[in-house]
Amino acid sequence: MVPWKNVLLIALSLVGFGVIHSVTAGLRPRRLLSNWVGERVVEGFYRLVYNLLAVITLSPTLALLVLLTDMSLYSVRLPLSLALLALQAAGLLGLAVSLLATDFLDFIGVRQVMAFFSGAELPLPPVPMQTRGMYAVTRHPLYFFSLVVLWASPTMSVNYLAFVIGATLYMALGSLIEERRLERMYGDSYRHYRQRVPWLIPMPRFSRSEN
């Protein structure tokens, strides 16, 4: 029998994570905190705290996956399971390459903390828009390769499927919200980039030849 109660718990925990993650990603919390503790403190620590909060708020969902009773849906046997494991490895490699293409210390918030303690000017200059490497084949390589790792699992259970579907919906929605922020930050450069490069799944684009 499908453990629908467990599926609901996982879904609700993911919704809670998504709401907190989305709200704290907005400008309003930063402005409120700036009025309270000062803009320099917010610019120095907000990104790191934001990422730590994301880990903390996702932890209950991961704990539910481990602790709740579950029901197996399928388990892929050899040799196809090896192909799926290889696909997961390729996804992890793509994820690592995509992270290295960014300013990783800025991405996790460490560079801002270093600037705060060194007395450097804050906020830091905007990170240059990334359009090369994996970002030349998909606008959201971090999301794409994460989904490859999640979906290519050789084993699938009810709880894990609920988690993967929820994570997929969140990443799809999150990417659209992120694109609005990037468009505000980079303007026409990002709009032109968006016209050239596929949204999430790498797909060839064919330009029409004019007669």
Side-chain angles (χ1 to χ4, degrees):
M1 184 176 179
V2 176
W4 292 111
K5 181 179 178 180
N6 296 349
V7 171
L8 180 60
L9 286 173
I10 293 170
L12 289 175
S13 66
L14 274 174
V15 169
F17 161 78
V19 170
I20 294 172
H21 197 60
S22 299
V23 169
T24 53
L27 293 176
R28 184 174 177 81
R30 296 174 69 102
R31 290 170 180 163
L32 292 175
L33 283 173
S34 294
N35 293 333
W36 182 33
V37 299
E39 183 179 1
R40 181 172 177 81
V41 173
V42 172
E43 293 294 340
F45 291 93
Y46 194 88
R47 181 70 187 183
L48 181 61
V49 173
Y50 170 77
N51 287 325
L52 291 174
L53 183 62
V55 174
I56 293 171
T57 52
L58 185 60
S59 297
T61 303
L62 300 179
L64 289 174
L65 289 177
V66 175
L67 298 175
L68 292 177
T69 56
D70 205 352
M71 185 179 76
S72 176
L73 292 176
Y74 63 78
S75 180
V76 179
R77 298 182 179 181
L78 294 171
L80 184 55
S81 61
L82 292 178
L84 290 174
L85 290 173
L87 186 57
Q88 283 188 312
L92 288 173
L93 179 61
L95 191 59
V97 171
S98 301
L99 279 172
L100 292 175
T102 66
D103 186 338
F104 183 68
L105 292 180
D106 184 275
F107 181 80
I108 62 176
V110 171
R111 192 175 300 284
Q112 293 89 325
V113 174
M114 294 169 59
F116 177 85
F117 285 113
S118 68
E121 184 178 352
L122 286 169
L124 295 175
V127 176
M129 191 176 76
Q130 181 60 255
T131 60
R132 298 181 179 180
M134 297 300 180
Y135 287 85
V137 294
T138 169
R139 301 200 298 270
H140 301 280
L142 296 178
Y143 289 153
F144 170 71
F145 287 113
S146 295
L147 291 176
V148 169
V149 174
L150 291 174
W151 281 103
S153 174
T155 60
M156 184 65 69
S157 67
V158 171
N159 292 351
Y160 182 71
L161 180 60
F163 170 74
V164 173
I165 291 175
T168 301
L169 293 174
Y170 175 75
M171 290 184 196
L173 180 60
S175 68
L176 298 177
I177 296 174
E178 183 180 352
E179 291 203 341
R180 293 173 57 188
R181 179 181 63 83
L182 292 172
E183 187 173 345
R184 288 195 302 268
M185 183 180 299
Y186 299 111
D188 287 339
S189 296
Y190 190 79
R191 282 188 281 270
H192 295 155
Y193 168 71
R194 190 169 57 190
Q195 292 172 356
R196 298 193 315 269
V197 178
W199 165 53
L200 187 60
I201 301 175
M203 295 178 63
R205 288 193 174 184
F206 303 99
S207 59
R208 296 181 180 178
S209 59
E210 295 183 3
N211 295 329

